[in-house]
Amino acid sequence: MPLSFTGPAVALSALREALGGGPLALNWVTNAFMLSFGATLMAAGALADLHGRRRVFLMGLGVVLASALAQACLRGQGAIIGFNLLRGLQGLGAAAALAGGTAALAQVFDGAGRMRAFSCVGTSFGVGLAFGPLLSGWLLGVAGWRGVMLCVAAVALAALVLGLRCMPESRNPQAQRLDRAGALLFTAALALLTWGVLQGPEAGWSSGAALLPLAGAALALAAFVAVERRVQQRTGQPMLDLSLFRYPRFVGVQLLAGAPAYAFVVLLVLLPVRFIGVEGMAPLQAGQLMFVLSLPMLFVPLLAGWLTRWVSAALLCLAGLLVCAAGLLWLGGCAPGTAFAQMAPPLLLIGLGIGLPWGLMDGLAVSVVPSERAGMATGIFSTVRVAGEGMALALVGAGLAALLAWRLSALAPQAPQAMQAVQSLHAAGRAAQLLVTGNIAEAMALLPGLSAPAVLAAYGQAFGILLDVLAGITVLTALAVYGFLRAGAPTDTGAGTDMAHA
């Protein structure tokens, strides 16, 4: 799944050349996967309990395999739309595989064995994040963008074969029917919100193309809350148990789940586009820088669990997020063209900082509520985490485009020959959208009279401001998480007196 997420980001420039597509379509390469993944994860868990965890796991892997193979078969300009549809389908399969697989693991193992099993899952995610961009960069140079998609298919096939041979079937005999209305409304709210955010920079935030989806998202969310309350009263088994948000420590965990989205995950998409599309790095060199960013994920999460013997989880999360914020501020000062040796330290600092809360989040998700509600808490946590990543990508991409449009329009008075090309903020916004997706050639064509160094400098300034904002958000989140996690006593001594034992 990390390879499914990071691989297309590394290959985005190659995808644009092979399959075409404007900035909006290219933004959906990542967002289509994250949106369908996050919006259906909780529903997939309910289906796994109802119809069988092994069955849902294998069906999900089959969908991932088929969609990855179909993506590799696409060709020709305009095929990016079909590619994005397949990416959305791949997200559905990934949600089913994750929900069914983790639920099946929880049934096979218990006690210390369960902790070791889930530690292996977490380690595999770390390996995927660390080596995924490096592997994708190498595959892009050796086999092109199709090699990246075929690699995903190969891993999915291996997991499918092992699952068929080794996994026992299990289901929850008390499981009830899927809350279809809740699932549909939740998915609609996320889809409309993402669509509105992506339309804003290109069509204008006051346009109907942006306002109508955003208004529809608000209505769908309100309807979802009303439906879940009614289902809670009628059956006691809603898709989302809103009463859990009465626990301050549970609210803190949800804030913590969102922190990596804008402090780390967005960089997994923005940085490859910057390195390859804007700065013109070779894919393998960009992969090496991304490896530096993700390398701490291989060992820092395990270190965080060990440190909880002496330091509280709240304090570790606070320290990690503050270190991550410092790395973001440092990275914001690195202009395009900065040497590898100067780029690597802030990237490493970001990875080190985010690794501390990353290693504690899953355990905290189940330790801050009564044990009988741990399953629902895990489902909510996973959904907030993945849906938050999708929304962060859309919002941060829109923010970078707005900052770029501002900086490019500010350059126009300094370059008389560019005045006709940059006659309005809309023209600058179009060029900014192209730069956000790594298409510097077409962006420069819209900016005659502006030199490439001037455009790169504007990009670096906008990128730096964006990272400063993300650092500020990370600091505020760190303080809020620390406050919520320290509020009140743990809700269930059976879950452990602290996350240290989770």
Side-chain angles (χ1 to χ4, degrees), residues 44 46 61 99 164 188 232 281 320 335 340 356 411:
L61 284 175
L164 283 168
Q232 174 72 44
M281 284 187 190
F340 186 100
L356 287 175
L411 288 175

mmCIF file of all heavy atoms in Angstrom, residues 44 46 61 99 164 188 232 281 320 335 340 356 411:
data_model
loop_
_atom_site.group_PDB
_atom_site.id
_atom_site.type_symbol
_atom_site.label_atom_id
_atom_site.label_comp_id
_atom_site.label_asym_id
_atom_site.label_seq_id
_atom_site.Cartn_x
_atom_site.Cartn_y
_atom_site.Cartn_z
ATOM 1 N N ALA A 44 -15.389 -1.461 4.814
ATOM 2 C CA ALA A 44 -14.721 -2.726 4.490
ATOM 3 C C ALA A 44 -14.537 -3.576 5.736
ATOM 4 O O ALA A 44 -14.674 -4.806 5.691
ATOM 5 C CB ALA A 44 -13.372 -2.450 3.827
ATOM 6 N N ALA A 46 -16.523 -3.612 8.353
ATOM 7 C CA ALA A 46 -17.825 -4.184 8.675
ATOM 8 C C ALA A 46 -18.156 -5.360 7.757
ATOM 9 O O ALA A 46 -18.690 -6.386 8.201
ATOM 10 C CB ALA A 46 -18.905 -3.103 8.565
ATOM 11 N N LEU A 61 -7.232 -7.877 -2.475
ATOM 12 C CA LEU A 61 -5.972 -8.067 -3.199
ATOM 13 C C LEU A 61 -6.211 -8.333 -4.684
ATOM 14 O O LEU A 61 -5.451 -7.878 -5.539
ATOM 15 C CB LEU A 61 -5.185 -9.223 -2.585
ATOM 16 C CG LEU A 61 -4.477 -8.927 -1.266
ATOM 17 C CD1 LEU A 61 -3.843 -10.199 -0.717
ATOM 18 C CD2 LEU A 61 -3.414 -7.856 -1.439
ATOM 19 N N ALA A 99 -8.424 -3.851 5.850
ATOM 20 C CA ALA A 99 -9.434 -4.132 6.872
ATOM 21 C C ALA A 99 -9.560 -5.629 7.122
ATOM 22 O O ALA A 99 -9.582 -6.084 8.276
ATOM 23 C CB ALA A 99 -10.779 -3.548 6.442
ATOM 24 N N LEU A 164 -4.207 -17.348 0.048
ATOM 25 C CA LEU A 164 -4.965 -18.541 -0.337
ATOM 26 C C LEU A 164 -4.433 -19.794 0.355
ATOM 27 O O LEU A 164 -5.190 -20.683 0.743
ATOM 28 C CB LEU A 164 -4.903 -18.718 -1.861
ATOM 29 C CG LEU A 164 -5.797 -17.804 -2.700
ATOM 30 C CD1 LEU A 164 -5.422 -17.892 -4.171
ATOM 31 C CD2 LEU A 164 -7.268 -18.183 -2.504
ATOM 32 N N ALA A 188 -19.733 10.203 0.100
ATOM 33 C CA ALA A 188 -20.146 11.381 -0.675
ATOM 34 C C ALA A 188 -19.565 12.658 -0.081
ATOM 35 O O ALA A 188 -19.105 13.545 -0.817
ATOM 36 C CB ALA A 188 -21.672 11.465 -0.719
ATOM 37 N N GLN A 232 -27.635 4.559 15.915
ATOM 38 C CA GLN A 232 -27.179 4.283 17.272
ATOM 39 C C GLN A 232 -28.366 4.024 18.206
ATOM 40 O O GLN A 232 -28.346 3.105 19.020
ATOM 41 C CB GLN A 232 -26.356 5.469 17.780
ATOM 42 C CG GLN A 232 -25.938 5.381 19.239
ATOM 43 C CD GLN A 232 -24.860 4.345 19.479
ATOM 44 O OE1 GLN A 232 -23.902 4.267 18.722
ATOM 45 N NE2 GLN A 232 -25.017 3.528 20.496
ATOM 46 N N MET A 281 15.685 16.641 -11.477
ATOM 47 C CA MET A 281 16.541 15.558 -10.979
ATOM 48 C C MET A 281 16.225 14.247 -11.696
ATOM 49 O O MET A 281 15.120 14.031 -12.177
ATOM 50 C CB MET A 281 16.302 15.336 -9.479
ATOM 51 C CG MET A 281 16.914 16.327 -8.562
ATOM 52 S SD MET A 281 16.698 15.778 -6.844
ATOM 53 C CE MET A 281 17.222 17.263 -5.974
ATOM 54 N N GLY A 320 8.219 14.558 19.479
ATOM 55 C CA GLY A 320 8.367 14.159 18.084
ATOM 56 C C GLY A 320 7.798 15.186 17.123
ATOM 57 O O GLY A 320 8.430 15.532 16.111
ATOM 58 N N ALA A 335 16.290 26.255 -1.020
ATOM 59 C CA ALA A 335 15.781 26.670 -2.321
ATOM 60 C C ALA A 335 15.982 25.570 -3.353
ATOM 61 O O ALA A 335 16.797 24.657 -3.165
ATOM 62 C CB ALA A 335 16.501 27.949 -2.761
ATOM 63 N N PHE A 340 22.538 17.933 -2.344
ATOM 64 C CA PHE A 340 22.060 16.771 -1.582
ATOM 65 C C PHE A 340 22.479 16.865 -0.114
ATOM 66 O O PHE A 340 21.677 16.593 0.792
ATOM 67 C CB PHE A 340 22.615 15.490 -2.212
ATOM 68 C CG PHE A 340 22.083 14.213 -1.618
ATOM 69 C CD1 PHE A 340 21.067 13.508 -2.240
ATOM 70 C CD2 PHE A 340 22.602 13.704 -0.423
ATOM 71 C CE1 PHE A 340 20.583 12.335 -1.689
ATOM 72 C CE2 PHE A 340 22.126 12.537 0.131
ATOM 73 C CZ PHE A 340 21.106 11.849 -0.510
ATOM 74 N N LEU A 356 8.343 9.144 16.079
ATOM 75 C CA LEU A 356 7.957 8.930 17.479
ATOM 76 C C LEU A 356 6.444 8.775 17.631
ATOM 77 O O LEU A 356 5.983 7.754 18.153
ATOM 78 C CB LEU A 356 8.496 10.071 18.342
ATOM 79 C CG LEU A 356 10.002 10.060 18.597
ATOM 80 C CD1 LEU A 356 10.428 11.316 19.356
ATOM 81 C CD2 LEU A 356 10.411 8.820 19.390
ATOM 82 N N LEU A 411 5.735 38.914 -9.866
ATOM 83 C CA LEU A 411 6.881 39.087 -10.754
ATOM 84 C C LEU A 411 6.540 39.884 -12.002
ATOM 85 O O LEU A 411 7.431 40.433 -12.645
ATOM 86 C CB LEU A 411 7.425 37.721 -11.187
ATOM 87 C CG LEU A 411 8.174 36.888 -10.139
ATOM 88 C CD1 LEU A 411 8.525 35.529 -10.725
ATOM 89 C CD2 LEU A 411 9.435 37.612 -9.680
#
